[in-house]
Amino acid sequence: FHQVIPLTLRQPIEIGGFEITAWQALDSDVDCLLQIRADGRNVLNVVDSWIDAQTMDQLLLEKPWDLLLWPFQTLRELEVLSPSRHPASTCEIPPEWILQLKALSPKAIVPSSCQFIHEEWSWYNQHMFPISYRQFSLQIETEIPATEILRLDPSKTLTWENECLVYGLPLPWILPSQEQDVDYIYCSSSSAPPMAEIANKFPKLNANEEEVVRRFCEQGLRESYNRMEPDSISYFSQRRFWRLLVYNQLGQARQYDYCIDSYKIICVDGETGPAEWLTEVLAYKLHSALVHGESLTSMYLRINETQFSPQTEAQLSSADPLDDPLIRSLFHGVFGAYQAAQLKRIESRNKHFAKKIPFKASYSDKICR
């Protein structure tokens, strides 16, 4: 980037013919809403964010809205970690979103959903996203009939003609790799396969890769976890026994037992009592997280998919799955790990090509840096 402009909440900036204003989102630490004014149009981008009550009051003063870019998915990224402990999701839009959309009363909405696809065999393809484009359209047409719904797939464009939004020519520099006009089918009736079965779908690690995983489980995990600040309200704020199962490509699990006290691992594979927290992971995916920046949504982690003692079960009812020691060790304070690993792979590939095509490769390599 040749120019980076910081955004200050509620302070408009001018870029070309666009006036852009950032508004506070529900998760103000990582998100913001963007209001874009251009050519007499008023657009609100809510994608990857949500609106808090105070901001909502301010946005109502900015009406009328010509267009809302609206995220409609309720991603079950935490529920799939412990499928037996979470009931199926409703496939309807949460009522608070309906109230917000009614109050904003935009002329048109572009619904947004990532709906990413996992491996063809993956049960995530039927369990991750409860709300479909079809369901969103049906509800909005019923609740807010005056608002138009316009789906915008990759490369598609929208153009204002007088007071109407119409589809324009596709962008020539975006070439979709497959059919884009698809929808997610949520299936609450099918069950999650056991971890041993999922492990069979991934290749065997070589000796060096296995050593990376072993060293992490025996040493690196403890070092990473013990560097974190303690959390007085966490499930692990008191002494707990944690069991980690790491599955190889044959579906065989290697067991690691840890004793955690006040957010410090004080004992590894020593004298431990009955497990009070269980984490299951694939060796292949754990290695990928350590080396290639694998994200949580594709790790196939499984948390507490077993029955503990009645006392432990009672305490787990209020526990946060993100307190999981492996999740915290891999992802706490980590930002953009996948993107960083991806750039590293691109850079390595460009250096390989540089030996054959010096000019083109060195040019690309410079851009990547």
Side-chain angles (χ1 to χ4, degrees):
F1 297 97
H2 298 287
Q3 186 179 13
V4 178
I5 302 173
L7 296 176
T8 302
L9 294 177
R10 292 180 285 179
Q11 296 296 317
I13 62 170
E14 297 280 346
I15 301 179
F18 296 86
E19 180 189 276
I20 302 167
T21 305
W23 293 93
Q24 182 171 312
L26 186 61
D27 189 350
S28 57
D29 290 336
V30 297
D31 296 325
C32 69
L33 316 177
L34 293 176
Q35 178 182 9
I36 303 103
R37 290 186 180 274
D39 195 27
R41 309 295 179 182
N42 193 20
V43 178
L44 181 63
N45 181 11
V46 190
V47 174
D48 289 333
S49 306
W50 301 115
I51 307 175
D52 70 2
Q54 183 179 359
T55 301
M56 187 66 190
D57 293 338
Q58 296 167 332
L59 294 176
L60 294 177
L61 301 177
E62 299 292 318
K63 293 173 64 174
W65 293 100
D66 293 290
L67 179 64
L68 257 62
L69 310 180
W70 187 268
F72 68 86
Q73 271 301 352
T74 51
L75 175 62
R76 289 172 54 90
E77 58 184 336
L78 298 183
E79 288 85 348
V80 296
L81 298 176
S82 307
S84 68
R85 294 179 177 267
H86 291 91
S89 291
T90 173
C91 295
E92 295 189 345
I93 304 171
E96 59 269 25
W97 298 1
I98 296 291
L99 293 176
Q100 288 182 338
L101 290 170
K102 281 185 174 181
L104 293 169
S105 58
K107 296 178 182 177
I109 297 175
V110 171
S112 171
S113 170
C114 48
Q115 294 193 352
F116 41 78
I117 299 173
H118 288 79
E119 296 88 351
E120 184 178 351
W121 50 262
S122 175
W123 73 289
Y124 279 5
N125 289 326
Q126 291 80 41
H127 286 256
M128 191 73 80
F129 300 100
I131 305 174
S132 64
Y133 278 101
R134 181 178 181 275
Q135 177 62 31
F136 180 86
S137 298
L138 288 174
Q139 277 194 259
I140 296 302
E141 288 169 357
T142 301
E143 300 282 353
I144 321 174
T147 295
E148 186 177 10
I149 302 166
L150 298 162
R151 177 165 170 170
L152 199 59
D153 291 327
S155 84
K156 296 292 182 66
T157 65
L158 290 171
T159 303
W160 262 291
E161 291 187 0
N162 298 321
E163 294 303 312
C164 298
L165 269 171
V166 298
Y167 288 102
L169 295 174
L171 296 173
W173 44 272
I174 295 180
L175 301 177
S177 59
Q178 56 190 12
E179 175 61 38
Q180 301 294 311
D181 189 17
V182 295
D183 208 349
Y184 198 88
I185 300 176
Y186 177 69
C187 180
S188 60
S189 59
S190 60
S191 59
M195 286 294 286
E197 181 180 323
I198 297 175
N200 296 154
K201 305 291 186 181
F202 293 95
K204 174 181 171 58
L205 297 179
N206 62 37
N208 290 335
E209 292 167 339
E210 288 179 349
E211 180 64 14
V212 169
V213 171
R214 186 192 65 78
R215 285 203 311 268
F216 174 76
C217 294
E218 294 180 356
Q219 180 179 352
L221 189 154
R222 175 173 52 182
E223 294 172 352
S224 174
Y225 193 83
N226 288 351
R227 285 195 297 266
M228 299 179 202
E229 291 294 323
D231 184 348
S232 60
I233 63 172
S234 165
Y235 177 79
F236 290 96
S237 60
Q238 59 181 280
R239 190 181 183 94
R240 304 287 188 187
F241 296 114
W242 170 45
R243 177 161 295 160
L244 173 65
L245 298 179
V246 182
Y247 290 82
N248 65 15
Q249 82 287 353
L250 299 176
Q252 301 165 337
R254 180 166 184 175
Q255 178 176 311
Y256 296 89
D257 288 318
Y258 307 85
C259 179
I260 301 177
D261 193 2
S262 299
Y263 255 127
K264 300 293 181 185
I265 296 179
I266 60 174
C267 171
V268 181
D269 280 342
E271 290 296 324
T272 61
E276 297 166 292
W277 189 279
L278 174 66
T279 308
E280 299 172 84
V281 68
L282 314 178
Y284 180 88
K285 287 292 186 177
L286 179 52
H287 177 269
S288 186
L290 293 169
V291 177
H292 303 301
E294 184 89 27
S295 66
L296 180 59
T297 50
S298 55
M299 280 278 293
Y300 292 101
L301 269 177
R302 202 66 62 82
I303 297 173
N304 294 332
E305 284 295 281
T306 189
Q307 194 70 25
F308 299 97
S309 69
Q311 180 183 1
T312 299
E313 285 292 334
Q315 295 171 339
L316 281 173
S317 62
S318 58
D320 185 346
L322 292 181
D323 283 341
D324 179 81
L326 181 61
I327 290 179
R328 288 182 58 83
S329 297
L330 291 174
F331 302 111
H332 181 72
V334 176
F335 178 77
Y338 176 79
Q339 290 81 359
Q342 188 180 46
L343 287 173
K344 187 176 180 180
R345 290 194 295 272
I346 292 172
E347 183 180 40
S348 176
R349 187 164 62 244
N350 286 338
K351 287 181 178 178
H352 171 75
F353 288 140
K355 299 176 183 178
K356 300 180 179 179
I357 318 173
F359 175 75
K360 289 185 179 180
S362 61
Y363 178 74
S364 299
D365 187 53
K366 184 178 179 180
I367 292 177
C368 288
R369 289 176 182 273

